[in-house]
Amino acid sequence: MSDERNLKCIDRDQTNKEKLEIAVKDGQKCLRKSPVIVLGSGASIPEGLPSMKELADHLKGSISNGKLSNTDENLWREFIAKLDDTKDLESALQAIELSEKLSNHIVVQTWDLISKADTRVFEKVLGNMNHLPLIKLYEHLFSSTNRTVSVVTTNYDRLAEYAADCASRSRCCHYTGFSYGYLRQQQQPNLRLHFKQGDQRARTVEIWKVHGCLDWFIGQDNQATAVVSARAIPNGWRPAIVTP
C-alpha cells in the first residue's frame, strides 16, 4: 500500500513538472513574439493610484449643498443613491443619465484626483529610475530583435510612459498617437511618427490609451492636444478622458 502511494506521488510530481515545463516553453514562445501588454487598475493601484472605490468616495463629497440647480441636484442625489446601493461606480454611471454639467464635473474631479496621485508616482520615479516594475518587462521584451512593444491600457495615468522613458538599457522611446514636443497634435494613422536611432527604427513602446490620458485635452478648436507638462487643467480646456 505504501509503495502504491509513493508511485502515485511520483506520477503526480512528474505530471506537475511536465505541466510547468510546458508553461515555461509557452511563455518563452510568447515573449519571443513580443506579446501585447494589457494594463488595468491592477498595474496602477499598487503604485498609489486611486481605486474605483476611492474615486467613488471622492465624488460623493465633491459637490457642496446649494451649488446645483434643482434638476441637477435631484439627478446627483439619484446618482449617489444608486452608487450607495450598487457599490459600483461604473454601474451607477450607466444607470443614471446625468446632465452634461454633471458629466463634466465627474471628468474634472476624476482628472484632479488621479493627476495628483500620478504626480506622486513621477516624483518617486525621479528619486529612483528603476521604481516601476514595468521597466524590467520592457527591457526584457527589447532584449530580442523586437523594435516595437505594444501596450493597451484603460488607465488615464502616465505610468506606461514613465516606464518607457526609464528603460535605459533598451534605449527606447514611447508613442501615444500624438506628435512630439510640449504641445502634441493627434496623428492620423497614415501620417504617424516613426522614430529612428542611427540608421534603424528606434525601439518604441506604442501605448494605446482607449479611455484617454491625463495629458490629453480638448481646446477651443475642439481638437485633442497632448499637453505633457500639465499639472492642472488649462483654462478654457477640458480633459479628453471618458467617465470611469
Side-chain angles (χ1 to χ4, degrees):
M1 197 69 176
S2 177
D3 290 341
E4 289 181 7
R5 281 199 297 267
N6 289 336
L7 286 173
K8 288 181 180 179
C9 288
I10 292 172
D11 289 341
R12 189 161 54 246
D13 290 343
Q14 184 66 29
T15 301
N16 290 337
K17 184 179 179 181
E18 290 173 354
K19 289 180 179 178
L20 178 60
E21 289 176 350
I22 292 172
V24 170
K25 288 180 180 178
D26 285 345
Q28 290 173 339
K29 189 185 300 182
C30 288
L31 290 175
R32 283 195 297 270
K33 293 182 178 180
S34 189
V36 173
I37 301 170
V38 180
L39 296 179
S41 59
S44 57
I45 290 176
E47 296 301 327
L49 275 296
S51 64
M52 278 293 192
K53 181 181 183 307
E54 290 171 312
L55 177 55
D57 291 341
H58 173 77
L59 291 174
K60 286 180 183 180
S62 64
I63 296 181
S64 303
N65 293 332
K67 295 293 184 180
L68 297 173
S69 66
N70 290 337
T71 301
D72 279 344
E73 180 71 32
N74 291 334
L75 275 175
W76 188 253
R77 287 179 179 175
E78 190 178 352
F79 166 66
I80 296 301
K82 178 63 70 172
L83 186 55
D84 288 336
D85 180 50
T86 62
K87 310 297 182 185
D88 186 328
L89 179 56
E90 292 181 69
S91 296
L93 285 169
Q94 291 172 359
I96 308 300
E97 187 174 349
L98 297 175
S99 66
E100 183 179 356
K101 180 178 180 179
L102 291 177
S103 295
N104 288 339
H105 172 78
I106 288 175
V107 166
V108 168
Q109 291 296 316
T110 299
W111 189 97
D112 187 60
L113 182 67
I114 295 177
S115 180
K116 289 175 181 176
D118 180 274
T119 298
R120 290 192 291 270
V121 175
F122 184 60
E123 291 171 350
K124 290 179 182 177
V125 169
L126 292 178
N128 176 12
M129 298 295 278
N130 293 312
H131 173 72
L132 297 172
L134 194 55
I135 296 169
K136 293 182 179 178
L137 180 55
Y138 287 163
E139 290 179 340
H140 181 76
L141 292 175
F142 279 129
S143 64
S144 64
T145 58
N146 295 325
R147 308 304 297 178
T148 303
V149 169
S150 296
V151 177
V152 177
T153 177
T154 56
N155 298 343
Y156 311 125
D157 60 63
R158 309 175 182 98
L159 268 61
E161 292 94 309
Y162 298 154
D165 290 350
C166 290
S168 57
R169 286 196 302 169
S170 302
R171 296 181 180 178
C172 61
C173 56
H174 73 262
Y175 176 72
T176 59
F178 286 73
S179 61
Y180 60 89
Y182 282 97
L183 299 175
R184 304 182 179 186
Q185 306 306 312
Q186 193 168 16
Q187 303 292 286
Q188 296 301 318
N190 60 327
L191 297 174
R192 60 150 297 173
L193 290 179
H194 291 282
F195 302 96
K196 293 194 71 175
Q197 191 172 47
D199 294 329
Q200 60 181 337
R201 187 177 176 184
R203 292 187 176 96
T204 305
V205 180
E206 296 186 337
I207 305 167
W208 307 112
K209 313 192 85 164
V210 296
H211 288 172
C213 178
L214 294 174
D215 283 344
W216 302 354
F217 300 92
I218 304 297
Q220 295 178 351
D221 60 357
N222 211 35
Q223 298 297 311
T225 300
V227 186
V228 297
S229 59
R231 297 299 172 184
I233 300 172
N235 290 333
W237 298 58
R238 67 182 189 273
I241 61 174
V242 299
T243 51

